[in-house]
Amino acid sequence: MLRFGRLAAMGTVAALILVAGVWASWGTAQHVMLSKGREQGTMKVTECGEDVCAGPYTPVSPGSEARHRVVIDDSVAVDEGGTYSVAVKPGGDGGSVDVVRTGASGLLYAWVPLGGALLLSSVVVAGGLRMSRSAWVLGGVGLALITAAYVAL
């Protein structure tokens, strides 16, 4: 009975870690993966602050409108002076329009939180569930995802 309780508890913890990774990734990934019907274009980064970078938006998709200033999260994914393919996030607060990177690099970057969750859950699977082969697979996939995102950016 004690063994079953340990397996159930550790299985639940591993599953929660993976669900949290998907949840954290989906906020950005949905705009990259389900971009049909969304405004798409390019953004030239002209200024970067502490948290965000901004610049003009040039539309590529039909029905999209040019904007003088759109905002993207400042991260390793963008550099000042660079031009990036982006998709416009619907909504916006106080007139600022948020965008996310598209293409392979944007997709991989959006799923980096899932890669971290895979790495973390591999430790739980190995230690708590005593499933070393499955843990190696989870860790390998997580490491491959993070590495691919790093190389693509």
Side-chain angles (χ1 to χ4, degrees), residues 72-133:
I72 192 167
D73 289 337
D74 181 22
S75 64
V76 296
V78 293
D79 291 320
E80 196 167 334
T83 301
Y84 304 100
S85 297
V86 295
V88 177
K89 284 182 165 182
D93 55 341
S96 75
V97 177
D98 293 332
V99 295
V100 294
R101 282 189 67 172
T102 58
S105 59
L107 180 65
L108 289 169
Y109 183 69
W111 287 106
V112 164
L114 176 61
L118 287 165
L119 286 172
L120 183 58
S121 67
S122 72
V123 174
V124 174
V125 168
L129 296 176
R130 309 274 194 252
M131 299 171 65
S132 60
R133 288 185 188 136

Side-chain angles (χ1 to χ4, degrees), residues 2 6 8 12 51 59 83 100 110 115 126 141:
L2 188 60
R6 178 181 56 89
T12 301
D51 297 334
T83 301
V100 294
V141 170

Side-chain angles (χ1 to χ4, degrees), residues 1-46:
M1 189 66 164
L2 188 60
R3 182 170 188 238
F4 176 73
R6 178 181 56 89
L7 291 175
M10 290 297 108
T12 301
V13 169
L16 284 174
I17 291 170
L18 291 174
V19 167
V22 171
W23 185 272
S25 296
W26 187 246
T28 301
Q30 66 178 322
H31 303 294
V32 178
M33 294 174 63
L34 306 174
S35 61
K36 187 173 184 175
R38 297 189 194 275
E39 294 184 66
Q40 296 182 21
T42 59
M43 172 193 182
K44 178 160 178 68
V45 178
T46 56

